[in-house]
Amino acid sequence: MTVHPVRSARSSRGRMGRPSTVLTIAMLACLGYFLLPLVWIAVASTKDNSDLFSSFGLWFADDFSLLANLRDVFTYDGAVYGRWLINTALYAVLTAGGGAFLMAAAGYAFAQYKFAGSKVLFGIVLGSFMIPSTALVIPTYLLFSQIGLVNTPLAVILPSLVSPFGIYLMRVYAEGAVPDSLIEAARVDGAGEFRIFWQVTLRLLAPGIVTVLLFSLVGVWNNYFLPLIMLNDPKWFPITVGLAQWQAKASGGGGAEALFSTVITGSMVSIIPLLAAFLFLQRYWVSGMSLGAVKG
Amino acid sequence: MNSHNVREYPRRRGSGRLVVVLLTAVLAIAGCAGGSTGSTSPTSVDMAAALKQPATLTLWSWVGGLEDEIAIFEKKYPNIEVKVVNAGQGPAEYQKLRTALSAGEGAPDVVQIEYQQVPSFTITNNLLDLMPYGANDIKDKFVPSAWQQVTQGNKVFAIPQDTGPMGMLYRQDILEKHGIAVPRTWDEFADAARKLHAADPSTYLTNLPPNEGGAMTGLLWQAGSRPYRAAEGTELTLNIDDAAARKVAGYWNGLVQQQVVAADADFTDQWYQGLANGKYATWLTAAWGPLFLQGTAKGTAGKWRAAPLPQWSSDEKVSGNWGGSTSAVTTQSKHPEAAAALAMFLNSDPESTRMLATKQFLFPATKALVTDESFTSQGLPFYGGQQVNKVFAGISETVRTDFTWSPFQDYVYSAFTDTVGKAITDRRDLPSALRDWHQDVASYAQKQGFHLTS
Amino acid sequence: MNPSRVVTADTAVPVVASRERNRSVTRRHAIAAYGFIAPAMLVFVATLVVPLGYAAYVSLFRERLVGGTVFVGLGNYGEAVADPLFRAGVLRMALFLVIQVPIMLTIALVFALVLDSGRVRFGRFIRLGIFIPYAVPSIIAALMWGYLYGPDFGLFAQLARRVGLGTPRFLSEDWILASIANITTWEFVGYNMIILFAALRAVPSDRYEAAAVDGAGAIRTAWSVKIPAIRPALLLTVIFSVIGSFQLFNEPQVLWVLAPTAIGNGYTPNLYAFHLAFTNQQVNYSAAVSFLLGIVIVAVSYVVMLATNRSSRS
């Protein structure tokens, strides 16, 4: 197989030859399996309560009730769903954004510098990840209630801001993607450490930061148990807790209401912003950026 | 045998809680002392004065739309403002409540608690005794079986809001198709189950859910079982496998082994589909069941009817209860008089209770509504025009009044699923699973410091 | 004799001077490092370490419904070690780990390599699609899988019956672990794939140039160049999958709603800790179980790290 001279990063990344149809079909088939349950939920959100349990799961029923369901979702219970969406977005963006930056700095420091106590600190970071978070919820609640943070957004944001996993991930990326030669060159140029971090490292770490951001985003968006315990007032609930509350209404025991189609449609709607965020963030992974820095 | 150092670690509530407990005790004693002098007792005078003070109350309730009922209350007591918060339904709310109570702050003034959970909050002294606040005055308004569940000795810890007397919803078309008469006794029910399943193997007379401790407890209640009785202080009488329970277990054992009843977990997709597609010909459920069924099995409209539960002997008319909530006042409340007034008003005022029944469709706990013609005479098309409320109103009066709950009902239900529930799914011997259930709960109770008596 | 190691009078002063400069540079670096770490560490200590410390303290006591609280020292831990439910849970997770993790990570690696090779059309769409399951919250997952796995009306069951295969019992006790493994794989292949994919993207191109010059084909490049290049990320996914599988909670919780008797309260150690705290009101014992589980995880992770280090050296 002939090798063309390297002009752009892409052609040397093992991309030899044109896209393979066989491979594409195989991957699309795999994709089908991953999307199957989601097809179910998309189809299910077009059905009303009775159709849900009497029609074939993967195809539509006779009545197309998507608009009616959507209307129910956004108007039920004093139109609180919209508020929940905003809450979730707020928590997710603040936590993921703030956290990604904090963790990138920490990961870079662990990877780049030797300093007293770095091994111990990193050991603590890693060690704490090994204790399941179920042990943390009640103590965190007790501590936060002492400070008066319970039932506020901070009670949900702070505990999720920094995760041991994120720090570890950033360290790994920093070790792999930030060449010492580059840092040394910048130092020789007279740049201060923080300036190096801000102008050089962040760009190199971009794919890693985006990854951590994405995981953080998803993690906070889907977090259920922490907000359940920390928040009492529904006006601060994120979508997960709110939807679970609606669904619980369907489980009998007095005042029971069947809300299935509303819960299902509400769930489907709640996935969409995450997908949008992912699509938007994907752009930052196609990184010709780091290679430009190396060559330049 | 380990020797433990008995040392109390600092509780966050600290001295504040001690003060509240003392105050409550003082008030209780004062209330008891004052009660005998009738309407001129000092505590009722205190109520009137206290209710003129400005106060803001927080009410945790998962029953939606309480604003109208609250509006009436606020009109009567203009200086009291009530904030209604839906902090979660059932277990979700209790988890929050327990955490807030152990933190010493953050709990609401008035909270919705289901009957079976009330003792679990009184054992930790978190609920206010409402006797000094005039609870005795409204005692006669309530159905006896409901009132009995909220009292311990001469203390009243919650006000009943709604109830769940158990009855049977059945598919008239399926029974008619196979020439089966509506079973009135459990023997008839067993025969009908065998006959139906033999005729149509894809249909079962009923489903016995292995995860629903509440439903099974209702059936045990009907049979006269009395699993838990609190004696003095730390003494607890535990008889989960008493004679009545063994009778029930033996009965269902037969049907389960013969595979003529289904064993699906309820409130799952599988179960909803079963209801909608005629897999189960009856549903042994409570008074909130009819409306619930309407929402989930729309395709079967017009085919269902309501009837009392089958009886153990043909001259009996008794039932049990599954579900229903109360309003209780927490000891963290800074306005106990106002909170007590709210709890009592919400659930006994004629206008408020009527709204609860007609707007929120809660099955009433008050005698007035249960016997009210306009409530009972509604015909529901889903049930072929039958006056379903009247059926359940009649059942409501037959609920046994001697049943009491354990102080750790969460654990009891979860142990049920692990022992008896598992036996139902695996089609193993139910009476011995019942014994296992008892043993499981007994060892838990001992670990929790209870002294078991029989 | 190496000339550079001889310190003569001429070179002595500059050497001393540069040593001074090194020290101040190192100090400057150390200060910068602490500065970078401080914000994250602050939050970390406040929201993780302090609650963990409190949880450890709590695990030394036993609070009872009646009779107050007693100090039991390591009594809770002793009880947990002897607890048949806890031990069964740990063994179950070990089995799960040994089977599910290699399968899931292999699939994720293959996907990442295929996508990175650029030989697939619709790459972005496929990447997004495989990742989506991770973004689905458990409440929805429960609904979906409840539908798919249902023995009477579920999709898989209906298809199997149509093909004449009989009714698969996904939610029966024999098969439930495999069903959970299926859900976990479905959920996390995309997650791990993204990590590995991002690592592949960050590999500098000069590594490929050498392979290209050698005339290596796509698969050979993948095996000899790409995989070694992302070793740190691979190790990351292995360690976190190990930790994750011992901490399994969401997926069994999802299926518990559907199969409450096949999945008991102690099905996984993490689920056990949760139930102990919130159903049984045994908060102290729950904390002990959590810490004991943490110790098990530390031990297993250490073994895994040792094993991978040794294999890389050989």
Side-chain angles (χ1 to χ4, degrees):
Chain A
M1 187 166 278
T2 55
V3 174
H4 302 280
V6 175
R7 233 174 299 140
S8 79
R10 299 226 181 116
S11 62
S12 71
R13 280 178 153 322
R15 285 192 190 196
M16 304 187 191
R18 293 201 315 259
S20 146
T21 323
V22 171
L23 219 48
T24 307
I25 294 183
M27 288 300 284
L28 284 174
C30 293
L31 184 65
Y33 174 66
F34 288 97
L35 291 184
L36 181 70
L38 294 150
V39 169
W40 176 81
I41 206 182
V43 168
S45 49
T46 65
K47 303 182 186 171
D48 67 10
N49 274 334
S50 56
D51 283 336
L52 271 176
F53 303 117
S54 50
S55 56
F56 179 59
L58 288 183
W59 196 247
F60 304 96
D62 290 331
D63 294 321
F64 190 78
S65 316
L66 180 62
L67 290 177
N69 287 342
L70 282 173
R71 194 182 41 230
D72 283 339
V73 166
F74 282 99
T75 56
Y76 184 73
D77 211 359
V80 71
Y81 186 85
R83 177 76 204 235
W84 290 343
L85 264 181
I86 296 177
N87 289 341
T88 318
L90 185 77
Y91 301 149
V93 167
L94 285 180
T95 312
F101 185 69
L102 288 181
M103 291 194 282
Y108 169 65
F110 277 121
Q112 181 67 23
Y113 300 100
K114 294 188 195 17
F115 52 96
S118 77
K119 280 221 169 71
V120 170
L121 272 178
F122 196 71
I124 295 180
V125 167
L126 208 56
S128 72
F129 188 65
M130 309 218 178
I131 315 279
S133 52
T134 24
L136 285 171
V137 181
I138 298 186
T140 313
Y141 181 91
L142 292 173
L143 287 161
F144 274 32
S145 81
Q146 294 289 303
I147 322 176
L149 275 183
V150 169
N151 211 25
T152 64
L154 275 179
V156 174
I157 293 177
L158 281 181
S160 323
L161 203 56
V162 168
S163 85
F165 169 70
I167 298 182
Y168 192 137
L169 195 68
M170 287 313 320
R171 177 187 181 150
V172 163
Y173 278 127
E175 277 168 1
V178 180
D180 283 340
S181 53
L182 202 63
I183 305 292
E184 277 309 318
R187 284 198 189 125
V188 163
D189 280 351
E193 297 303 311
F194 188 71
R195 193 138 156 260
I196 295 179
F197 173 70
W198 188 255
Q199 288 184 332
V200 176
T201 316
L202 274 184
R203 256 176 239 156
L204 290 173
L205 288 178
I209 292 182
V210 168
T211 310
V212 168
L213 190 79
L214 198 63
F215 289 147
S216 235
L217 207 66
V218 172
V220 177
W221 195 276
N222 290 341
N223 202 355
Y224 171 69
F225 201 60
L226 179 75
L228 175 76
I229 295 288
M230 289 292 181
L231 302 171
N232 302 330
D233 200 337
K235 74 170 193 270
W236 285 121
F237 283 175
I239 294 251
T240 44
V241 179
L243 281 178
Q245 208 179 73
W246 279 2
Q247 176 165 43
K249 285 196 185 186
S251 290
E257 285 176 70
L259 284 173
F260 311 108
S261 54
T262 319
V263 170
I264 288 179
T265 312
S267 310
M268 192 202 62
V269 168
S270 74
I271 305 182
I272 294 178
L274 272 181
L275 296 187
F278 186 88
L279 271 171
F280 174 68
L281 289 172
Q282 276 210 84
R283 215 172 296 162
Y284 295 93
W285 276 348
V286 182
S287 55
M289 294 184 243
S290 63
L291 304 157
V294 169
K295 294 235 186 283
Chain B
M1 247 343 218
N2 296 342
S3 65
H4 301 305
N5 299 332
V6 181
R7 196 195 338 148
E8 292 228 315
Y9 71 84
R11 281 177 174 245
R12 296 198 172 273
R13 301 166 250 194
S15 54
R17 194 171 80 86
L18 188 60
V19 170
V20 173
V21 170
L22 279 176
L23 262 179
T24 314
V26 165
L27 278 173
I29 297 170
C32 288
S36 55
T37 58
S39 54
T40 57
S41 62
T43 45
S44 34
V45 170
D46 285 340
M47 280 296 275
L51 291 172
K52 291 212 175 68
Q53 304 296 319
T56 312
L57 299 176
T58 310
L59 164 67
W60 281 9
S61 169
W62 65 80
V63 173
L66 281 179
E67 297 81 38
D68 296 332
E69 289 90 339
I70 299 297
I72 315 179
F73 176 79
E74 283 176 335
K75 206 154 124 205
K76 183 167 178 188
Y77 302 104
N79 287 332
I80 304 182
E81 193 193 324
V82 179
K83 246 181 44 161
V84 182
V85 171
N86 180 352
Q89 171 143 348
E93 188 207 71
Y94 303 139
Q95 282 160 2
K96 272 205 267 272
L97 186 60
R98 281 190 225 277
T99 331
L101 289 169
S102 80
E105 58 185 282
D109 300 280
V110 183
V111 61
Q112 178 179 0
I113 303 183
E114 292 161 289
Y115 292 104
Q116 72 267 16
Q117 297 286 354
V118 171
S120 70
F121 288 99
T122 58
I123 195 89
T124 45
N125 296 316
N126 288 125
L127 296 184
L128 204 58
D129 174 19
L130 298 173
M131 208 42 118
Y133 301 92
N136 218 21
D137 300 338
I138 55 172
K139 168 179 167 181
D140 292 322
K141 292 194 179 187
F142 292 97
V143 170
S145 60
W147 190 258
Q148 180 258 340
Q149 289 179 73
V150 297
T151 46
Q152 291 173 18
N154 44 14
K155 299 196 185 156
V156 177
F157 287 107
I159 308 295
Q161 185 168 84
D162 63 321
T163 57
M166 281 190 80
M168 176 173 70
L169 299 177
Y170 63 93
R171 284 280 297 268
Q172 185 171 53
D173 58 323
I174 296 183
L175 294 187
E176 270 175 6
K177 177 167 151 200
H178 297 282
I180 300 176
V182 179
R184 306 229 172 271
T185 65
W186 287 114
D187 284 336
E188 286 174 25
F189 191 88
D191 292 335
R194 286 184 278 263
K195 184 168 171 189
L196 178 61
H197 193 62
D200 181 359
S202 70
T203 309
Y204 297 87
L205 186 61
T206 196
N207 179 47
L208 192 65
N211 60 329
E212 200 57 73
M216 177 58 76
T217 302
L219 295 177
L220 293 171
W221 185 329
Q222 183 207 26
S225 173
R226 292 200 58 198
Y228 341 94
R229 256 170 293 165
E232 282 301 308
T234 62
E235 306 230 322
L236 182 69
T237 308
L238 201 65
N239 273 323
I240 291 183
D241 62 341
D242 61 8
R246 282 198 294 270
K247 179 171 80 176
V248 173
Y251 173 83
W252 287 102
N253 190 44
L255 297 182
V256 164
Q257 305 292 354
Q258 291 160 15
Q259 310 218 4
V260 294
V261 292
D264 301 324
D266 57 5
F267 302 105
T268 62
D269 185 273
Q270 157 94 350
W271 181 76
Y272 293 127
Q273 301 250 19
L275 279 177
N277 292 309
K279 180 176 174 187
Y280 322 119
T282 70
W283 183 24
L284 304 173
T285 182
W288 42 261
L291 276 173
F292 178 81
L293 194 60
Q294 267 184 226
T296 45
K298 283 207 194 108
T300 56
K303 303 185 184 167
W304 293 84
R305 301 286 182 275
L309 280 181
Q311 299 292 317
W312 287 103
S313 70
S314 46
D315 54 354
E316 265 188 329
K317 259 205 181 106
V318 286
S319 186
N321 193 75
W322 176 19
S325 317
T326 68
S327 299
V329 177
T330 65
T331 48
Q332 266 185 28
S333 174
K334 302 207 173 35
H335 306 283
E337 303 90 358
L342 175 61
M344 293 190 287
F345 182 91
L346 188 64
N347 301 306
S348 66
D349 174 80
E351 219 184 319
S352 173
T353 50
R354 176 168 290 279
M355 281 194 209
L356 288 175
T358 54
K359 235 183 35 145
Q360 279 100 351
F361 306 110
L362 299 183
F363 196 81
T366 55
K367 288 186 201 160
L369 270 176
V370 158
T371 51
D372 186 313
E373 268 301 309
S374 63
F375 174 72
T376 55
S377 63
Q378 289 172 348
L380 297 178
F382 193 87
Y383 298 90
Q386 187 185 18
Q387 295 173 344
V388 175
N389 280 340
K390 192 176 247 167
V391 175
F392 279 97
I395 297 175
S396 157
E397 280 159 17
T398 66
V399 174
R400 278 193 200 261
T401 59
D402 55 1
F403 191 87
T404 46
W405 297 100
S406 72
F408 35 68
Q409 202 59 31
D410 276 343
Y411 185 80
V412 174
Y413 281 168
S414 125
F416 167 81
T417 307
D418 281 344
T419 52
V420 180
K422 201 155 168 43
I424 294 176
T425 316
D426 297 345
R427 312 267 176 191
R428 284 184 292 105
D429 185 55
L430 289 189
S432 59
L434 183 71
R435 181 93 211 135
D436 292 338
W437 187 17
H438 172 89
Q439 293 291 64
D440 195 329
V441 176
S443 66
Y444 173 81
Q446 279 166 330
K447 239 193 257 177
Q448 288 289 358
F450 287 98
H451 184 232
L452 292 183
T453 58
S454 43
Chain C
M1 183 159 81
N2 194 335
S4 65
R5 287 171 70 202
V6 170
V7 178
T8 62
D10 297 329
T11 57
V13 170
V15 166
V16 169
S18 76
R19 220 182 285 147
E20 283 286 337
R21 206 173 356 157
N22 277 342
R23 227 179 283 144
S24 80
V25 163
T26 323
R27 205 182 313 137
R28 203 161 49 94
H29 286 179
I31 293 177
Y34 288 130
F36 284 129
I37 292 202
M41 280 295 139
L42 214 62
V43 176
F44 178 73
V45 165
T47 61
L48 250 101
V49 177
V50 174
L52 267 185
Y54 183 67
Y57 175 70
V58 161
S59 74
L60 302 176
F61 292 84
R62 186 175 297 158
E63 183 180 347
R64 299 173 304 184
L65 277 179
V66 292
T69 309
V70 294
F71 174 77
V72 294
L74 293 178
N76 286 328
Y77 290 93
E79 195 180 330
V81 168
D83 191 338
L85 217 51
F86 176 74
R87 289 156 89 155
V90 171
L91 282 174
R92 193 175 289 123
M93 290 303 96
L95 175 69
F96 185 85
L97 165 77
V98 160
I99 298 187
Q100 191 262 351
V101 169
I103 294 181
M104 173 180 69
L105 289 182
T106 311
I107 299 179
L109 184 60
V110 167
F111 282 169
L113 287 170
V114 167
L115 286 172
D116 184 60
S117 74
R119 299 193 63 194
V120 177
R121 266 187 271 259
F122 317 121
R124 273 202 209 167
F125 173 66
I126 294 181
R127 214 163 53 214
L128 177 66
I130 297 182
F131 180 74
I132 287 182
Y134 178 70
V136 173
S138 324
I139 177 182
I140 306 181
L143 293 172
M144 298 192 295
W145 290 104
Y147 166 66
L148 291 174
Y149 277 161
D152 293 328
F153 308 101
L155 179 70
F156 294 156
Q158 286 185 338
L159 289 176
R161 273 197 294 268
R162 203 163 294 189
V163 181
L165 278 176
T167 307
R169 303 230 136 252
F170 295 112
L171 300 177
S172 71
E173 206 174 334
D174 298 327
W175 282 103
I176 195 111
L177 195 61
S179 306
I180 294 178
N182 180 38
I183 300 183
T184 314
T185 311
W186 174 82
E187 221 179 303
F188 285 101
V189 161
Y191 176 86
N192 288 298
M193 179 193 74
I194 296 296
I195 296 180
L196 297 173
F197 181 76
L200 281 171
R201 286 271 128 177
V203 172
S205 63
D206 44 341
R207 312 252 188 123
Y208 297 121
E209 287 170 22
V213 161
D214 281 349
I219 297 190
R220 183 79 203 289
T221 315
W223 186 254
S224 318
V225 178
K226 292 190 179 184
I227 294 184
I230 57 169
R231 259 197 102 247
L234 260 177
L235 189 62
L236 178 89
T237 57
V238 169
I239 293 290
F240 283 120
S241 298
V242 165
I243 296 176
S245 58
F246 270 102
Q247 291 190 5
L248 204 63
F249 180 85
N250 275 332
E251 292 73 25
Q253 179 87 314
V254 160
L255 283 192
W256 177 80
V257 178
L258 307 167
T261 52
I263 298 191
N265 285 340
Y267 200 70
T268 76
N270 207 1
L271 208 55
Y272 190 37
F274 176 78
H275 276 279
L276 284 172
F278 290 99
T279 307
N280 299 13
Q281 311 304 319
Q282 289 174 281
V283 179
N284 316 82
Y285 189 45
S286 167
V289 165
S290 299
F291 276 100
L292 200 57
L293 179 65
I295 294 174
V296 169
I297 295 177
V298 167
V300 173
S301 311
Y302 194 62
V303 167
V304 170
M305 279 204 267
L306 277 181
T308 46
N309 270 345
R310 201 171 305 145
S311 70
S312 81
R313 247 175 275 136
S314 67

